[in-house]
Amino acid sequence: MKNSIVEPLPTDDDIIMIDHVYKSFGKTRALVDVSLRVKRGEVCFIFGPSGGGKSTLLRCINHLEKPDSGTIIVDGIPVTDEKTNIDKVRAEVGMVFQLFNLFPHLTVLENITLAQRIVRKRPPEEAERIARQLLERVGIPEKADSYPGQLSGGQKQRVAIARALAMNPRIMMFDEPTSALDPEMIKEVLDVMMGLAREGMTMVVVSHEMGFAKAAADRMVFLDAGRIIEEAIPKELFANPKKERTKQFLSQILY
Amino acid sequence: MAIAEEIGKPQPRLIPWTRKLEGMPWWMLILLLVGLLIVYSIYSSDIYQDAFTFLLPGLKLTIVVTLTSFSISIVLGLIAGLGRVSKNIVFYNLSTLYAEVIRGVPLLVQLLYVAFVLVPLGVDLLNAIGGLMLQHASSNPLLGIAHSLANLNIKDVDMTVRAIVGLAFGYGAFEAEVFRGGIQSIERGQMEAARSLGMSYFQAMRYIILPQAIRRMLPPLGNDFIAMLKDSSLISALAVRELTQLGKLHRSRTFRTFEAWNMVAFLYLIMTLSLSLLVRIMERRMAFEE
């Protein structure tokens, strides 16, 4: 492959390497020359105005969107390479969606065990044991036999997190995980995410929850009009943003 | 004491009886009465009883043909429906071609075409394959197959089989559209969530998309089943001895035109009405679940 120069060594610290990625939808330019590195164990927080390309960037990482050009390497596997078996990469990258996307025809337990059985080929008993442990961890063990339709938004999102974690992913991606939640349910989801961050999970989080960024993020990335405008550690970014656009955006969303 | 209890009970809401009458399914009542009348005449009249016993094998064949063709058409519809939503250019275009061609030709013409053009062509093709195999075959088990292929005659292919193939292909195109609609009615996020867990496209279809889609497809599939039951009367044009064909025969046998067609229509109606009642119940249950 051409991009063998960026082929990382197994010991390489960068688990996600994004280089010069472009993506357009018709005439809209969603991503313009985006390059980004995410280190193993790092919590990378991506924010910016809507339509800025945050979700598109996330979806490019597990190839739900195909970039027009550029390379993306996840844990040593080039996902932008045509020959890569993308299903293998996706199993290692957990994704949590804004609208949960639980499977409504399956119970909570089945939601969490299905991919374990058919993708990871785990025996049913093992899959169920793991699912129950994870439900315990996200605080809703009693909902194992409920259907998604019987849960509140916060509970649904916690099941979605458990479902992604059950695959033992090396990276967890969150696409605005609290945007569709009622205010009183945001905390229960953020608590679970905080726990993950503390355990050293590599996380890429697209969100507007600045409180979470302050508490958990190692790095913040400001994305606007498809470009990375600024990248900094939270303290620095909140205290003195370097770019005018970042300043302006922060002043609009922070009280 | 008794009066107090009476007051405590929730009072039934009073609806004027005229309004209740307006809401009655009168059509059903009329049907029921006519049905009872016919059942009574079957029992009391020798002519109707004769017609009924003569038509009974046809009724059975109609049911068998419809069930078989419908099962095949579901499989064809599933394959072509998956093609209609596929990103694979060849698969998509083949499925769309199939659906468009079939939908553009009258079912009766399709049946005649399958029975007298496609099936003979297929037999010729099998004969040719059998001939080739005879030239090259060396092992014994293959030789038997080769002989039977080479000696297959068009007369060996029963008209009922041709009719079933014709009906199945004709309805497969409609079922393909039902499958396409059902699959596309499932939110995109379902496929994305399944794929992001590492499932392949077909695993996602099998475990996530189709189970949800099929629930939504049951009422239209039920309606298509009823339509096929009625359209199976067209295969009388191939002289298959199903209900309509036996109706024709009975009429020319007895010259009891009135009774023959009365009986045929009544038997179709009983089947379709009870089936559409089932579909209605199914639809109501679906509406409740969603």
Side-chain angles (χ1 to χ4, degrees):
Chain A
M1 223 359 241
K2 269 177 282 165
N3 47 25
S4 56
I5 31 163
V6 281
E7 193 104 303
L9 299 166
T11 51
D12 203 318
D13 218 22
D14 290 330
I15 194 165
I16 302 176
M17 313 212 287
I18 301 169
D19 282 291
H20 308 294
V21 163
Y22 287 79
K23 174 76 188 173
S24 308
F25 297 104
K27 279 183 185 158
T28 328
R29 302 175 79 188
L31 295 175
V32 183
D33 195 18
V34 171
S35 297
L36 183 71
R37 294 277 185 277
V38 179
K39 287 192 173 55
R40 220 172 277 276
E42 188 181 37
V43 176
C44 178
F45 187 91
I46 302 173
F47 70 109
S50 37
K54 310 180 297 285
S55 291
T56 310
L57 180 61
L58 215 56
R59 295 159 61 86
C60 279
I61 294 174
N62 69 353
H63 218 58
L64 284 179
E65 300 289 354
K66 194 168 171 279
D68 298 333
S69 65
T71 56
I72 297 174
I73 298 175
V74 176
D75 206 15
I77 308 165
V79 294
T80 39
D81 189 341
E82 293 283 330
K83 279 171 272 173
T84 301
N85 180 356
I86 195 64
D87 297 338
K88 289 246 166 66
V89 185
R90 284 180 178 146
E92 307 297 334
V93 182
M95 182 141 180
V96 175
F97 298 86
Q98 181 178 0
L99 295 174
F100 330 125
N101 295 352
L102 293 180
F103 308 132
H105 62 302
L106 302 177
T107 65
V108 165
L109 201 66
E110 288 164 340
N111 262 278
I112 307 176
T113 53
L114 179 65
Q116 294 189 65
R117 287 193 287 110
I118 65 174
V119 179
R120 287 276 191 241
K121 313 276 183 219
R122 286 180 189 148
E125 311 79 52
E126 191 194 345
E128 187 179 328
R129 187 175 50 76
I130 292 171
R132 289 196 188 277
Q133 275 173 6
L134 284 167
L135 281 175
E136 193 83 43
R137 176 167 163 186
V138 298
I140 36 174
E142 74 281 4
K143 297 290 181 191
D145 299 316
S146 306
Y147 281 90
Q150 300 164 317
L151 305 181
S152 72
Q155 291 170 335
K156 280 183 195 166
Q157 196 60 296
R158 286 187 280 163
V159 172
I161 294 174
R163 180 176 68 176
L165 286 176
M167 302 297 286
N168 296 108
R170 294 181 206 165
I171 302 165
M172 281 288 283
M173 304 203 294
F174 295 84
D175 188 2
E176 307 208 16
T178 55
S179 301
L181 296 180
D182 288 339
E184 74 269 28
M185 290 169 184
I186 290 176
K187 192 172 173 296
E188 63 191 48
V189 172
L190 290 181
D191 281 345
V192 173
M193 289 169 63
M194 282 295 291
L196 275 177
R198 250 182 252 119
E199 284 166 33
M201 172 65 82
T202 308
M203 291 163 72
V204 184
V205 182
V206 167
S207 176
H208 299 292
E209 299 295 337
M210 291 301 162
F212 176 80
K214 249 178 221 168
D218 296 304
R219 194 149 50 103
M220 293 177 74
V221 177
F222 178 54
L223 206 62
D224 182 28
R227 292 170 200 274
I228 292 182
I229 307 290
E230 190 166 351
E231 243 186 282
I233 61 166
K235 223 183 242 174
E236 203 174 306
L237 195 123
F238 283 120
N240 53 358
K242 297 212 168 43
K243 297 276 164 53
E244 198 49 46
R245 182 71 185 93
T246 320
K247 242 179 250 178
Q248 187 196 348
F249 183 76
L250 283 177
S251 71
Q252 275 166 342
I253 62 164
L254 294 176
Y255 278 102
Chain B
M1 179 67 186
I3 293 169
E5 256 172 36
E6 203 62 35
I7 291 168
K9 276 185 191 166
Q11 295 292 312
R13 219 149 48 86
L14 284 177
I15 301 170
W17 63 275
T18 46
R19 279 256 226 92
K20 277 189 191 170
L21 284 183
E22 278 168 29
M24 280 275 282
W26 287 107
W27 59 273
M28 213 187 263
L29 201 69
I30 294 167
L31 265 175
L32 210 67
L33 285 175
V34 173
L36 283 175
L37 195 72
I38 294 178
V39 170
Y40 174 74
S41 17
I42 291 171
Y43 268 101
S44 56
S45 134
D46 286 344
I47 299 165
Y48 273 112
Q49 230 162 35
D50 181 37
F52 182 73
T53 42
F54 186 80
L55 291 175
L56 202 56
L59 181 71
K60 279 182 195 154
L61 189 60
T62 289
I63 293 171
V64 168
V65 164
T66 307
L67 280 175
T68 324
S69 323
F70 194 72
S71 318
I72 302 173
S73 79
I74 294 258
V75 176
L76 286 173
L78 172 63
I79 296 169
L82 285 174
R84 298 277 283 135
V85 297
S86 169
K87 284 198 183 110
N88 182 316
I89 302 167
V90 179
F91 195 21
Y92 169 80
N93 279 295
L94 279 178
S95 310
T96 309
L97 184 72
Y98 164 63
E100 290 299 327
V101 166
I102 294 281
R103 284 194 299 172
V105 178
L107 187 58
L108 181 57
V109 179
Q110 278 174 43
L111 287 168
L112 294 168
Y113 195 84
V114 167
F116 300 117
V117 180
L118 286 185
V119 170
L121 273 179
V123 169
D124 282 351
L125 186 73
L126 289 178
N127 286 159
I129 293 174
L132 271 179
M133 280 167 75
L134 275 181
Q135 281 173 17
H136 301 285
S138 48
S139 59
N140 271 340
L142 269 178
L143 215 59
I145 301 171
H147 268 295
S148 50
L149 278 184
N151 298 330
L152 188 70
N153 193 293
I154 180 66
K155 287 188 186 120
D156 297 337
V157 186
D158 189 35
M159 269 301 169
T160 312
V161 174
R162 300 190 209 184
I164 287 172
V165 172
L167 275 178
F169 270 90
Y171 265 79
F174 293 105
E175 267 35 289
E177 287 306 285
V178 174
F179 271 97
R180 184 188 59 79
I183 290 169
Q184 285 179 342
S185 77
I186 306 299
E187 305 70 42
R188 242 182 78 193
Q190 291 290 309
M191 179 55 97
E192 288 180 350
R195 296 306 302 277
S196 76
L197 286 165
M199 290 185 212
S200 69
Y201 178 81
F202 281 100
Q203 282 177 328
M205 270 290 166
R206 155 135 166 52
Y207 293 102
I208 306 302
I209 308 296
L210 284 177
Q212 294 182 60
I214 281 170
R215 273 182 220 190
R216 296 187 193 176
M217 283 161 44
L218 281 177
L221 283 182
N223 285 328
D224 278 359
F225 185 78
I226 296 170
M228 188 188 247
L229 184 78
K230 291 185 288 178
D231 280 348
S232 73
S233 62
L234 288 172
I235 67 175
S236 60
L238 305 180
V240 175
R241 296 167 68 89
E242 46 72 72
L243 187 50
T244 308
Q245 179 68 6
L246 284 193
K248 281 189 210 167
L249 289 179
H250 183 70
R251 187 203 61 86
S252 48
R253 203 177 55 120
T254 60
F255 297 108
R256 290 282 184 183
T257 311
F258 191 79
E259 287 84 355
W261 293 123
N262 256 351
M263 200 65 219
V264 169
F266 173 70
L267 289 176
Y268 275 117
L269 203 56
I270 284 193
M271 291 191 285
T272 52
L273 281 178
S274 38
L275 281 172
S276 69
L277 202 68
L278 260 175
V279 173
R280 261 167 213 242
I281 293 170
M282 211 152 65
E283 268 172 352
R284 204 168 290 178
R285 190 170 292 178
M286 300 268 314
F288 176 73
E289 275 175 14
E290 298 210 349

